[in-house]
Amino acid sequence: RSRDLDEKKELYREEEVRWYLAIDPEANELLAWSLDANGCYQSVTATDTLEVDICKNCNLSLDLIRMLR
């Protein structure tokens, strides 16, 4: 778990990956971070749906209720 939430997240940040998502099966939740203009990940909170802007004309809508049943 710490590998996913610390090491991997840092590697993704260094490579400027816009979004980092991780599922925590113990807490039954999706953890999400979005890269800000300064190159730092900011935690994103969503309760029902998470909208991920992958690129200029491509968005992904994640239905968290269905995903985490």
Side-chain angles (χ1 to χ4, degrees):
R1 178 178 179 174
S2 66
R3 183 171 180 240
D4 288 330
L5 298 181
D6 298 321
E7 296 172 38
K8 283 185 181 180
K9 189 172 87 172
E10 179 59 20
L11 289 172
Y12 278 56
R13 187 197 62 76
E14 289 173 2
E15 294 298 321
E16 299 180 354
V17 175
R18 289 182 62 182
W19 286 89
Y20 187 77
L21 308 174
I23 293 179
D24 183 344
E26 293 173 7
N28 197 37
E29 68 181 351
L30 175 77
L31 306 171
W33 295 269
S34 177
L35 200 64
D36 67 16
N38 296 319
C40 298
Y41 275 128
Q42 299 299 320
S43 180
V44 176
T45 304
T47 55
D48 296 332
T49 304
L50 177 64
E51 299 291 334
V52 179
D53 55 327
I54 297 172
C55 59
K56 185 177 180 180
N57 295 315
C58 184
N59 294 315
L60 176 65
S61 180
L62 300 172
D63 183 342
L64 301 179
I65 294 171
R66 286 185 70 193
M67 221 169 95
L68 299 172
R69 304 187 198 178

